[in-house]
Amino acid sequence: MSTKYRKKAIALAALAVLAATTLAGCVSDADRASQNLSTAADQFEVERRIVFYNGITDTYLLTIEGRCAITDQAIQLEVTCKVAPDEYKKHFLGLSDNVTYKAEQLESVDVSVYHHRVIFKPESILPEIDVETGKQ
């Protein structure tokens, strides 16, 4: 390959990397705030009210309020709530064609629209191990 073509190939590769980096960084403020709010909620920093209701009978079935993280598994909703500094409760709620839910944030939370929030917990790398032995 001649030097002229090699320089063009390098320039095109550099331009492609620059374009990919620029496009990957094109996240709107709303998208970034939404991602950071979700991260805050998963860290139990957001007060929520989750209401389950029957769409046919138009009745409320259950309300959960607190610092809760939500995982929607399509047929069930998993709600994990922090109830004290080291205490948690987990609820499993079945969803169907007539039972649905609404989750609302009860208070505002200060999140950045300029920085992506990443949580790294080194203690989670080494799991707690429970040892069970046979009866002696």
Side-chain angles (χ1 to χ4, degrees):
M1 180 183 278
S2 73
T3 305
K4 177 180 172 184
Y5 290 117
R6 185 173 297 139
K7 286 181 181 179
K8 280 186 178 182
I10 291 172
L12 284 174
L15 185 60
V17 169
L18 179 63
T21 304
T22 302
L23 289 175
C26 289
V27 176
S28 73
D29 287 353
D31 290 338
R32 178 69 65 219
S34 178
Q35 291 170 354
N36 288 340
L37 280 169
S38 294
T39 300
D42 288 342
Q43 296 298 311
F44 305 108
E45 299 170 4
V46 176
E47 289 280 337
R48 287 179 163 166
R49 176 184 300 128
I50 304 123
V51 178
F52 294 84
Y53 58 95
N54 184 316
I56 294 174
T57 61
D58 203 25
T59 56
Y60 282 32
L61 304 173
L62 174 69
T63 300
I64 301 173
E65 287 189 26
R67 296 184 178 275
C68 301
I70 300 170
T71 305
D72 189 336
Q73 298 290 337
I75 61 169
Q76 79 177 13
L77 191 74
E78 296 177 10
V79 180
T80 306
C81 300
K82 186 172 189 173
V83 295
D86 289 319
E87 294 181 29
Y88 304 87
K89 288 186 178 181
K90 187 166 188 175
H91 311 277
F92 297 89
L93 302 124
L95 301 174
S96 67
D97 57 348
N98 63 329
V99 175
T100 189
Y101 72 96
K102 176 186 81 138
E104 67 178 304
Q105 183 175 321
L106 297 177
E107 61 185 27
S108 64
V109 178
D110 184 22
V111 295
S112 174
V113 294
Y114 301 108
H115 300 95
H116 183 73
R117 185 171 178 194
V118 177
I119 307 295
F120 176 71
K121 294 186 177 185
E123 65 272 12
S124 68
I125 294 172
L126 299 174
E128 280 187 32
I129 299 174
D130 294 333
V131 178
E132 291 186 24
T133 60
K135 293 183 181 179
Q136 298 182 359

